[in-house]
Structure formats: C-alpha cells, structure tokens
Amino acid sequence: MTDHSGTGSASVLELLGTRIAGVRHQDLTHHGHTVFHTALVDTVGVAYAGSAAEGSRLTRAAAGPLSPGPSLVLGTADRVSALDAGLLNGVSAHALDYDDTNAIMGGHPSAVLIPAALALAEERGSSAGQVAEAYAAGYEAVIRISRAVGTSHWDKGWHSTPTLGVLGAAATGARLLGLSPQRCATALAIAASSAAGLQANIGTMVKPLHVGRAVREGLFAARLAAQGCTANPRALEEPRGFLDLYSGPGRYELAAAVPGAGDSTLEINRCSNTVKEHECCGSTHSALEAAIALHRKRRFAPEDVERIDIVVDRRCLPHTDRPVLPEPLAGKFSLQYVVARALLEGGIDSAHFEDEAYLSPRIRQLMNRTRVSVAAASWSGDVRVPAEVTVFTVTGGVLRHMAEDSPVGRTEVLHPPHLWEKFSQCVGRVVGQADVSRVVSVLERFADFADVRDATRVLEVCRPTERGRPGSPAAGRGRS
C-alpha cells in the first residue's frame, strides 16, 4: 500500500479499505441480517412518506432536469441515474426525521446507506445479498469512524449524519463496485473532502438535504476511485486531516477506527439501530414519552399549568432547546413544543409539524411556561438517554415522570414490534391499501431476489392518492 507518511505502516483508511473490500454476505450473522433487513424496511417506508414532504418536492424542482437511468425515485414511478436517485431518496428518507438512529454514530445511518445501496444496486443489477453486503460495508465505516470521533465531532457543531454518513455511502458504493482494498481506501479519502452539514441548519429543510447530498457525494467518491482518481490515504489522521479538523487535535481516538488484532467481527453483527416511534428528533423522545405518561395520569388545560421543567442529558442539547419556532419543521426539534403537545393531547403525529399547527395559542402558552435544563450528572444510555418532566400546577400540585434509558428491551430494538405497522402507515400516505400489501410482500422476501430491480419494479408508484404527491414522470422511466 502507498505510504504518504514515510513510516511504512498502513493508514487507517487503508486498513478500513481492506475490511470493506472483504465483506461477504456469509459474514453476516443472524443479528447482522436482522439489522440490515430492519433498516431496509424502515428506511423504504419513511422515504415513501417523505417523498411527499415539501422539502423533497423543492429539492427535486431545484435539481432541474434529471439524468434518465435505472434507479427508482421512491414514492414515484420515475427512473433516474444512481446519483440523482441517491440525492432524492436520501432527502426523502430524512425529510420527516422518522428514520432510524444509532447511539454510537449520534445520527441516522440508514437514511444514507439504504438509498446509496439501492440506487447503485439497481444500476448494476446486483442481488439482494450484495445489497446487504454493501450496507454492512457502509455500516462498518460509519460505526468505526464514529467510535474514533466520539462526541467531540458533534460538540463542534457538525451534523454527524452527513459528515460521517458520506464516508459510509462511499464504502457502500465501493463494495457494490467490487473495488480493491486500495481503491476502497481512496473512495473514503475522496469522500472525506465532501463531509458537510451544520447543526445550525437543523430544524429546516436543509437537514434532510444534508443527507441527500451525503448519499450522492459518497457514491460519486466511489465512482471516482473506480476510475483511478487519487487521494491521500492518510486523509483521516494527518495534521489538517478529517479528524483534526472535524473533531479537533487530541479530541479523537484513532485506534478506535480500526479493528484490534484478531477482531474479525463486523460492526453490523454486534450493533443495532433504533427504529423511531415518533416523527421527531430522537433527542426529544424520552421527554416526549415522559409527557405522554403524565397526560395519562391527568388531562391538562393550559390554564392549569404554572410551569413545566424538562431535565435532559447534555447530549440532548442545545439542538432541542427551542422555545421559539420560526417554521413548522422546527417543532420536530423543540423539547418545549413536543412536551406541550403531549401534555395537552397525549401524543404527537405528523399534522403537528405541518402548516400553522406550530402557531397554536394553547401550545404557545405552555411553551412560554417551560424551562429546559441539563441533568447535574451525565445519564448513561446505550439506546436513548432518559429525561424528566415536571409539571407545577396553579393549585400547587406537582406531577413528575422520568422516562428511562429506553422504553424497550434489546430484543425489541433488534425486532421492533411495530415495524410493519409503521411501514404500512408510511407507505399508505402515498399509495392505496392494495399497493401497501404488494410492497410489504416484496420487502418481506427481499433476500430472495437475485436482481434487486425485480423488487424495485414492484415498489413503483404509478398514481398519486389523495395525500400523496409522487413526482412527475417527466424524468427517465427506463428500466434495465
């Protein structure tokens, strides 16, 4: 391997490249296959629903004429190039902030990896097994680099999903293209120069755009590497490289990015993602569930409440401390908003983040009486950190509830009990019930497809329904 440092040792990206190039379908355990299939089902479902979101529509309109190709734009019947499909499906998968999360990444891995894998697999006529391999390869890159950057990356203000996800998309693309270990490393090095996404844009349509661009740039990096484009294999660890710039000198653990001696276990075989139960930022979920529990104990009216205190772990802030909402999407990232909704109405649904729902006078009254603070000591939680909500009533009453680290056990994280119900509800926003059943049947037996294009033909949406807004068939409709 090329050594840019003169030390004679392989770089982190070269070691990761070897790992990625060597991923085989048979290397995935039952756990690993379950992680992949759950991610596939959940991501396709939320991308269907997200395809009707305003941000998805605007992205497509701004992209201009799309290149015809074999890759499906989910939620439509349109076929475009893999790069264009990756962009649009990445935006749709993250548009509702309903996609899965990973505690190690501190972000959303599958909204990047699944659109990347499907788009390129359709172009190449890959099998379902090769899609699973590609997802596992991308997951390996994302989780290992996430272990290296730790929390410092997020603390600096980067949006982890695209900044780390673009490396995962590059790994996914490299594996599907069958690149050598050296060229896999090159794809990652190229992608490192495309890592972008500011937390300052969370709560706007730019957040899902971050994800779509990460998918596209990651796939483009893999293609560039396949063509022989060069890049520095030490782009991760060199001074002024990715880790120094995106985490800070001395604020990362380089060794965590590479497997130890004798460690052949893929990350997908030992990690899990969390499938969301609520259509809003995961950092608000514990507080939201605490508020739902309080609603079950007592039905509140705004005039009953003197003050609301929300205590969360520091990892949940500052991106969710939003007492003032400039637009509907911002409500998805506001502890004040989701807690007020849950206390008054017992839960959250998609209509609460649309149109002028965020301007409700009753909700704003409670938001104005809400105080958010950080727990005195860091609360640990592998899946989700806890939160405490306390309601002080005007009559002197105090009602308090603390949501635990995770409302479900490990088994339910790997096998979400409401996965197919959520999937059907999401797909049903765009197609009729008969088509929902058809799509469910395809994804249930996805592993059987020797050519993924045979599966995605069934996923095409040929007509809009009352709620759905599939895209115009003006872009390419070709199949291969």
Side-chain angles (χ1 to χ4, degrees):
M1 293 184 177
T2 305
D3 175 25
H4 283 232
S5 69
T7 65
S9 60
S11 72
V12 170
L13 292 184
E14 286 172 326
L15 293 171
L16 275 176
T18 298
R19 187 86 159 180
I20 290 162
V23 173
R24 298 290 182 271
H25 183 255
Q26 56 267 31
D27 296 334
L28 275 67
T29 62
H30 174 72
H31 178 104
H33 281 293
T34 302
V35 169
F36 163 69
H37 190 249
T38 299
L40 174 73
V41 172
D42 189 59
T43 306
V44 169
V46 297
Y48 258 87
S51 69
E54 185 73 356
S56 299
R57 184 188 68 78
L58 293 176
T59 299
R60 178 158 185 162
L66 302 176
S67 301
S71 302
L72 179 66
V73 180
L74 292 169
T76 78
D78 299 345
R79 299 267 172 183
V80 299
S81 71
L83 294 184
D84 284 343
L87 169 68
L88 297 177
N89 290 337
V91 171
S92 293
H94 200 50
L96 304 179
D97 221 87
Y98 207 9
D99 45 312
D100 71 17
T101 61
N102 182 278
I104 298 169
M105 180 190 190
H108 306 255
S110 300
V112 180
L113 301 181
I114 292 295
L118 287 179
L120 190 55
E122 288 187 274
E123 182 180 84
R124 298 183 61 78
S126 304
S127 68
Q130 289 172 314
V131 173
E133 282 180 355
Y135 179 89
Y139 200 80
E140 191 75 9
V142 165
I143 298 302
R144 289 204 170 274
I145 296 173
S146 296
R147 292 188 191 280
V149 300
T151 60
S152 59
H153 185 73
W154 178 267
D155 292 343
K156 282 176 69 69
W158 294 109
H159 179 201
S160 304
T161 300
T163 53
L164 302 175
V166 69
L167 296 160
T172 294
R175 186 67 198 88
L176 278 169
L177 292 171
L179 300 190
S180 67
Q182 182 64 54
R183 290 200 173 178
C184 285
T186 299
L188 291 171
I190 296 170
S193 278
S194 295
L198 307 178
Q199 287 180 37
N201 271 321
I202 288 177
T204 74
M205 295 178 191
V206 176
K207 186 173 189 272
L209 179 62
H210 288 167
V211 174
R213 292 184 63 197
V215 178
R216 191 186 194 285
E217 291 301 316
L219 290 178
F220 188 44
R223 282 185 163 174
L224 284 169
Q227 292 296 318
C229 181
T230 63
N232 183 356
R234 296 188 180 276
L236 214 64
E237 67 262 40
E238 276 195 355
R240 301 187 180 185
F242 180 90
L243 292 173
D244 264 11
L245 294 175
Y246 285 76
S247 288
R251 300 194 64 202
Y252 55 84
E253 183 57 53
L254 188 62
V258 295
D263 180 7
S264 60
T265 303
L266 292 174
E267 293 290 353
I268 198 171
N269 291 336
R270 59 184 164 202
C271 298
S272 297
N273 304 321
T274 299
V275 171
K276 283 189 173 183
E277 296 184 20
H278 308 291
E279 202 171 309
C280 53
C281 178
S283 294
T284 69
H285 281 203
S286 290
L288 171 57
E289 285 165 4
I292 292 172
L294 289 173
H295 175 84
R296 293 192 186 112
K297 295 177 182 178
R298 173 174 172 173
R299 299 297 187 264
F300 294 93
E303 55 271 21
D304 298 331
V305 177
E306 179 180 312
R307 191 178 88 237
I308 301 168
D309 283 356
I310 305 172
V311 181
V312 296
D313 188 83
R314 69 171 187 84
R315 288 172 286 177
C316 295
L317 297 176
H319 60 294
T320 59
D321 184 7
R322 295 172 184 259
V324 178
L325 305 182
E327 61 174 281
L329 282 179
K332 289 178 178 279
F333 306 90
S334 170
L335 284 163
Q336 292 90 338
Y337 183 73
V338 300
V339 165
R341 278 286 179 192
L343 285 173
L344 292 187
E345 301 175 30
I348 282 285
D349 64 41
S350 59
H352 294 147
F353 307 109
E354 297 173 354
D355 303 323
E356 296 186 350
Y358 75 108
L359 298 176
S360 164
R362 299 172 74 247
I363 298 300
R364 293 174 74 177
Q365 284 181 53
L366 285 192
M367 291 177 67
N368 291 337
R369 299 170 194 165
T370 300
R371 180 177 63 188
V372 174
S373 60
V374 177
S378 181
W379 289 331
S380 63
D382 292 336
V383 178
R384 190 169 72 242
V385 293
E388 184 177 77
V389 175
T390 305
V391 178
F392 299 87
T393 69
V394 293
T395 58
V398 178
L399 293 89
R400 179 178 292 110
H401 189 88
M402 182 172 185
E404 299 299 329
D405 291 2
S406 172
V408 296
R410 291 274 179 196
T411 300
E412 292 174 291
V413 170
L414 194 59
H415 302 275
H418 303 300
L419 175 65
W420 287 105
E421 179 184 341
K422 173 184 174 181
F423 177 83
S424 298
Q425 182 268 336
C426 283
V427 175
R429 299 187 194 185
V430 178
V431 303
Q433 187 54 50
D435 288 325
V436 170
S437 300
R438 207 160 41 90
V439 173
V440 167
S441 69
V442 167
L443 290 190
E444 283 180 329
R445 56 189 177 89
F446 183 81
D448 299 334
F449 286 92
D451 186 333
V452 73
R453 291 172 294 193
D454 293 331
T456 61
R457 286 188 186 108
V458 185
L459 302 183
E460 291 182 355
V461 175
C462 297
R463 63 186 186 280
T465 63
E466 183 178 347
R467 290 197 63 185
R469 275 190 272 172
S472 161
R477 289 288 300 277
R479 297 182 183 180
S480 58

